[in-house]
């Protein structure tokens, strides 16, 4: 655990370190807890139904049980989470929610259902093409089906309750976006490792409690004098699931400042716009489809490379480090195009292929350090 | 004024530890190589002592020392540690300022580096986690085939055509080699096949970085003429091999040590 000057970060570090502990305690005290695998799960629906939604993460250690029923070229995140389920480490969950993003997620959901018959499983189908009225109509209908499935488990969900949850999540995402915003002008005040702890805590904590923490934290960071990364090259980290703090730590220990992220377990989860008034499900359908799309989906007009370049430039990054989970097909199909486009625009990139359960190996460290040296060499004023 | 100062670069590789001493003009005074063994700090000390003895210098003649290689954090007395990627680029540039691409195949990893006219790294790729298709791979195959490591290249070049080896995984390739032997395949053809397998793997890495002339190969495997010829054919350009391909990283580190001592550090 890194030291921090902010008590709010310390609280998040504690929550992140505790992991499912708080959710388990809540479950023991009678609270219904729902686990979700993917940031496309409409958490508001489960929250409104009285569940505490927590994100299902992988963990360190092998996936011996999962390896009996899933091929080794499924990503380590999926294998590890499934292994935890098979080992009955999720006995505090009443419900597991999956989204059909990639085929691996869909099949993990099926394996989960088969092997943990006592746990309810809901799979949310997200349209693969996320733009336009047909996609919204489809997704609204799907959310209606999900709502009915939740209501069958937990009783009726009133529109008012749903709106309360939608507004709470909206406030939370806006607060997270603000924190990201103030961090850009204070890269020496709040580090990438600290931000990762804040994001990870958001997966476990009660939304309202986390909202209060990050609101105070953003104020505290904003009150510090603005600074720069100094002589450290600034990098944006991009990719899918990144829960292993070792990777961000390795990047920072190599002398880079992690100033922003474009991670699924990061800014992507908070990229949903404010919901329009009216029908709550229509509103939910609209904002989930309007977010920065997961590479498993296609959003006409969305250029993944331009998006990354814009983010990197807005963060005044000197380079982009991709933390891609090995065997994550959707990201790896996009990666060559994105990295070539960034490099053509003079934005250097580094690819780190990572696995959840592996600590950062020496070669990874060498690569990160060499990238830092390369970035420092490019900036003449540091020579 | 006493002894003239010298500057040391120490490259602690997985198989071999190398040291290079340069003078204030960057001219090489001495170099030395020793097996890395199990005690990296001791190997680093010993190789520096060996180079100093060759140059007829005492330890206190070293004004600055920079370490590199996978054991770079184990070197005592270092001013700092710099990665082997940056050091190979610097060393290659010093040996031939025209170099724009370096392929380095060492004991347990391989790298491809694109560099600019000043010898700075533009882009690099490194092989993943395991030692497939590296020096270690050739060592194991040499033992399986009972061939001297140094003889692999010359023997491979005598083959009329390479045997088909589909894997650079040391374990899989060893089984393939044993099957080929059982089928009566000739040793030179098998060796040519192994060199071709390494070439394909490394060239895939190199293509991602972009190969432009002048292309230099460094690291122990650059001494293998079979692999070098394969890379030349794949890249469609000649490969420059320095006189001492294994000490290029240490040379780069020594030159950075000289810069650092003169306070014109280009990489911090």
């Amino acid at each position: 655990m890194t030291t921090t000057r902010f008590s709010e970060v310390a609280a998040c570090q504690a929550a992140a370190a505790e992991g499912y502990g708080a959710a388990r305690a809540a479950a023991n005290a009678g609270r219904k807890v729902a686990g979700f695998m993917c940031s496309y799960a409409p958490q508001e629906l489960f929250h409104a139904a009285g569940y505490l939604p927590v994100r299902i993460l992988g963990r360190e250690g092998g996936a011996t049980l999962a390896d009996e029923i899933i091929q080794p070229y499924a990503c380590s995140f999926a294998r590890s989470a499934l292994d935890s389920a098979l080992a009955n480490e999720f006995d505090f969950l009443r419900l597991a929610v999956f989204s059909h993003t990639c085929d691996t997620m869909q099949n993990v959901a099926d394996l989960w259902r088969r092997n943990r018959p006592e746990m309810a499983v809901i799979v949310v189908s997200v349209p693969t093409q996320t733009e336009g009225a047909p996609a919204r109509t489809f997704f609204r209908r799907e959310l209606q089906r999900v709502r009915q499935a939740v209501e069958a488990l937990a009783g009726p969900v009133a529109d008012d309750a749903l709106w309360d949850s939608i507004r709470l999540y909206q406030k939370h995402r806006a607060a997270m976006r603000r924190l990201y915003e103030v961090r850009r002008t204070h890269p020496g005040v709040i580090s990438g490792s600290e931000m990762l702890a804040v994001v990870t805590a958001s997966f476990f904590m009660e939304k309202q409690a986390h909202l209060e923490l990050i609101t105070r934290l953003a104020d505290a960071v904003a009150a510090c004098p603005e600074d720069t990364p100094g002589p450290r090259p600034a990098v944006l980290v991009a990719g899918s699931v990144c829960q292993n703090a070792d990777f961000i730590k390795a990047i920072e220990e190599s002398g880079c400042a992690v100033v922003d992220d474009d991670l699924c377990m990061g800014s992507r989860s908070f990229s949903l716009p404010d919901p329009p008034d009216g029908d709550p499900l229509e509103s939910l359908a609209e904002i989930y489809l309007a977010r920065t799309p997961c590479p498993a989906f296609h959003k006409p007009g969305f250029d993944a490379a331009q998006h990354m370049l814009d983010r990197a430039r807005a963060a005044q990054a000197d380079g982009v480090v991709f933390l891609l989970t090995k065997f994550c097909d959707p990201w790896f199909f996009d990666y060559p195009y994105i990295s070539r486009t960034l490099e053509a625009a003079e934005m250097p990139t580094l690819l780190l292929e990572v696995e959840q359960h592996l600590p950062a190996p020496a070669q990874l460290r060498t690569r990160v350090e060499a990238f830092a040296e390369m970035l420092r060499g490019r900036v003449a004023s540091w020579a | 004024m006493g002894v003239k100062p010298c500057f040391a670069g120490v490259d602690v590789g997985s198989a071999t530890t190398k040291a290079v001493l340069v003078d204030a003009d960057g001219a090489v005074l001495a170099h030395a190589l020793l097996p890395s063994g199990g005690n990296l700090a001791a190997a680093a000390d010993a190789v520096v002592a060996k180079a100093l003895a060759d140059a007829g210098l005492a330890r206190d003649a070293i004004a600055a020392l920079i370490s590199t290689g996978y054991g770079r954090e184990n070197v005592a007395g270092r001013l700092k540690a710099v990665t082997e990627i940056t050091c190979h680029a610097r060393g290659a540039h010093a040996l031939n300022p025209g170099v724009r691409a370096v392929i380095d195949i060492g004991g347990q990893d391989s790298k491809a580096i694109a560099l600019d006219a000043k010898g700075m790294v533009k882009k690099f790729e490194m092989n993943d986690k395991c030692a497939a298709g590296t020096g270690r791979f050739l060592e194991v195959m040499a033992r399986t085939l009972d061939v001297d490591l140094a003889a692999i290249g010359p023997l491979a070049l005598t083959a009329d055509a390479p045997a088909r080896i589909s894997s650079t995984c040391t374990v899989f390739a060893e089984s393939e080699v044993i099957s080929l032997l059982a089928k009566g395949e000739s040793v030179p053809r098998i060796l040519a096949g192994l060199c071709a397998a390494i070439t394909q793997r490394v060239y895939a890495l190199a293509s991602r970085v972009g190969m432009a002339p002048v292309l230099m190969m460094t690291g122990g495997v650059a001494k293998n003429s079979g692999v070098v010829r394969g890379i030349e054919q794949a890249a469609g350009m000649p490969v420059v091999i320095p006189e001492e391909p294994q000490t290029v990283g240490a040379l780069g580190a020594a030159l950075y040590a000289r810069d650092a001592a003169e306070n014109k550090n280009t990489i911090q």
Side-chain angles (χ1 to χ4, degrees):
Chain A
M1 199 179 290
T2 50
T3 51
T4 176
R5 68 171 95 170
F6 300 107
S7 61
E8 295 83 5
V9 173
C12 287
Q13 286 171 337
E18 195 188 2
Y20 302 120
R24 183 182 292 279
N28 288 340
R31 184 81 192 272
K32 292 175 295 193
V33 182
F36 62 100
M37 272 299 267
C38 162
S39 56
Y40 275 87
Q43 291 172 63
E44 294 89 335
L45 266 175
F46 307 101
H47 184 267
Y51 288 94
L52 167 65
V54 296
R55 191 155 183 172
I56 294 171
L57 302 175
R59 51 130 161 82
E60 290 193 16
T64 325
L65 296 171
D67 285 345
E68 283 180 34
I69 56 169
I70 192 168
Q71 68 278 20
Y73 52 88
C75 76
S76 54
F77 169 53
R79 281 167 44 232
S80 174
L82 180 62
D83 196 69
S84 294
L86 297 177
N88 211 20
E89 290 162 26
F90 291 127
D91 56 353
F92 59 96
L93 293 182
R94 296 256 204 110
L95 168 65
V97 184
F98 297 84
S99 313
H100 191 160
T101 47
C102 56
D103 290 348
T104 301
M105 281 303 134
Q106 175 64 55
N107 286 291
V108 165
D110 293 339
L111 291 169
W112 200 292
R113 207 193 307 261
R114 232 170 223 279
N115 289 281
R116 290 258 73 98
E118 74 283 4
M119 199 188 299
V121 168
I122 292 179
V123 181
V124 184
S125 287
V126 183
T128 49
Q129 196 279 84
T130 61
E131 200 106 305
R136 281 200 301 279
T137 307
F138 169 90
F139 198 43
R140 193 212 169 277
R141 220 168 25 224
E142 175 65 1
L143 293 176
Q144 176 63 31
R145 185 189 67 79
V146 172
R147 180 183 190 164
Q148 284 162 357
V150 178
E151 286 177 335
L153 295 168
V157 176
D159 273 5
D160 283 351
L162 185 49
W163 267 118
D164 285 346
S165 296
I166 292 174
R167 291 202 185 95
L168 175 61
Y169 273 78
Q170 171 196 5
K171 268 194 215 161
H172 180 262
R173 286 188 283 254
M176 281 303 297
R177 287 198 296 270
R178 174 162 175 256
L179 181 58
Y180 272 94
E181 199 60 50
V182 297
R183 170 201 189 190
R184 284 182 186 173
T185 48
H186 298 81
V189 174
I190 183 159
S191 69
S193 301
E194 289 174 299
M195 277 302 285
L196 184 67
V198 171
V199 170
T200 307
S202 79
F203 300 147
F204 297 123
M205 288 178 66
E206 294 278 4
K207 230 9 83 185
Q208 180 65 38
H210 194 260
L211 168 64
E212 286 162 18
L213 274 183
I214 58 174
T215 305
R216 285 206 308 271
L217 177 60
D219 289 343
V221 173
C224 296
E226 290 196 4
D227 69 353
T228 64
R232 296 174 300 161
V235 300
L236 172 106
V237 291
S240 42
V241 286
C242 175
Q243 57 183 85
N244 190 336
D246 286 352
F247 296 119
I248 303 282
K249 219 157 59 190
I251 295 170
E252 295 190 317
E253 284 171 0
S254 75
C256 291
V258 174
V259 293
D260 201 352
D261 74 59
D262 193 42
L263 294 165
C264 171
M265 291 193 175
S267 70
R268 286 176 166 255
S269 284
F270 311 112
S271 64
L272 285 68
D274 289 343
D277 292 330
D279 172 57
L281 293 183
E282 209 160 298
S283 199
L284 277 179
E286 183 162 334
I287 63 174
Y288 273 87
L289 296 182
R291 56 163 282 184
T292 305
C294 167
F297 300 132
H298 175 61
K299 189 173 181 180
F302 175 83
D303 184 324
Q306 191 60 47
H307 160 80
M308 195 76 77
L309 187 59
D310 291 346
R311 278 201 70 91
R313 284 183 174 155
Q316 292 186 291
D318 300 304
V320 173
V321 178
F322 288 87
L323 285 171
L324 300 192
T325 302
K326 191 169 185 165
F327 303 125
C328 177
D329 290 351
W331 265 106
F332 276 103
F333 278 122
D334 281 4
Y335 169 75
Y337 166 66
I338 299 177
S339 67
R340 275 175 205 167
T341 308
L342 291 181
E343 276 169 14
E346 301 277 305
M347 181 63 71
T349 66
L350 174 70
L351 169 63
L352 300 177
E353 200 180 68
V354 300
E355 293 193 83
Q356 299 303 303
H357 55 281
L358 287 178
Q363 269 125 325
L364 183 140
R365 209 164 267 274
T366 296
R367 258 185 261 196
V368 179
E369 284 177 19
F371 189 62
E373 288 163 1
M374 184 182 108
L375 294 180
R376 281 198 290 267
R378 282 168 61 92
V379 181
S381 60
W382 294 342
Chain B
M1 196 171 144
V3 264
K4 275 200 228 162
C6 73
F7 307 92
V10 182
D11 179 358
V12 185
S14 65
T16 311
T17 294
K18 290 80 67 173
V20 168
L21 301 175
V22 300
D23 65 15
D25 298 321
V28 175
L29 299 171
H31 70 259
L33 294 87
L34 283 175
S36 295
N39 185 339
L40 300 180
D45 263 358
V47 81
V48 171
K50 194 167 172 228
L52 284 168
D54 269 12
L57 292 169
R59 174 89 204 193
D60 61 6
I62 298 176
L65 182 153
I66 281 186
S67 59
T68 186
Y70 103 109
R72 61 188 175 279
E73 304 290 347
N74 300 75
V75 181
R78 65 182 186 276
L79 183 64
K80 66 177 293 179
V82 176
T83 66
E84 50 271 39
I85 290 157
T86 304
C87 288
H88 272 274
R90 178 70 191 267
H93 176 77
L95 292 169
N96 182 339
V99 168
R100 293 295 177 273
V102 175
I103 292 177
D104 169 60
I105 312 181
Q108 75 170 18
D109 59 38
S110 41
K111 332 171 176 66
I113 307 164
L115 47 159
D116 67 16
K118 287 189 278 181
M120 303 303 283
V121 178
K122 270 167 60 183
K123 189 171 166 63
F124 66 90
E125 289 279 352
M126 222 175 135
N127 74 327
D128 239 338
K129 299 167 194 110
C130 84
T134 63
R136 183 79 197 124
F137 171 84
L138 284 174
E139 277 176 23
V140 171
M141 297 309 149
R143 204 185 54 211
T144 307
L145 290 164
D146 198 18
V147 170
D148 190 55
L149 189 61
I152 292 181
L155 273 173
L157 292 179
T158 65
D160 55 335
R164 200 180 140 74
I165 310 270
S166 57
S167 178
T168 49
C169 166
T170 308
V171 178
F172 287 157
E174 194 174 12
S175 323
E176 279 191 60
V177 164
I178 290 164
S179 316
L180 287 168
L181 281 174
K183 273 196 271 178
E185 189 60 277
S186 82
V187 169
R189 283 171 66 118
I190 295 174
L191 291 172
L194 291 168
C195 292
I198 291 193
T199 301
Q200 277 169 22
R201 181 177 166 96
V202 172
Y203 196 69
L205 203 69
S207 307
R208 291 209 290 272
V209 168
M211 290 288 104
V214 174
L215 167 59
M216 180 181 277
M217 258 188 87
T218 63
V221 177
K223 290 181 169 173
N224 181 312
S225 48
V227 174
V228 172
R229 192 186 61 174
I231 302 250
E232 285 183 327
Q233 284 169 350
M237 63 179 91
V239 169
V240 174
I241 308 290
E243 216 171 298
E244 289 292 341
Q246 287 178 278
T247 60
V248 176
L251 171 62
L255 293 172
Y256 275 122
R258 186 194 57 158
D259 286 359
E262 292 179 3
N263 212 8
K264 55 171 188 181
N265 195 346
T266 40
I267 46 155
Q268 296 205 340

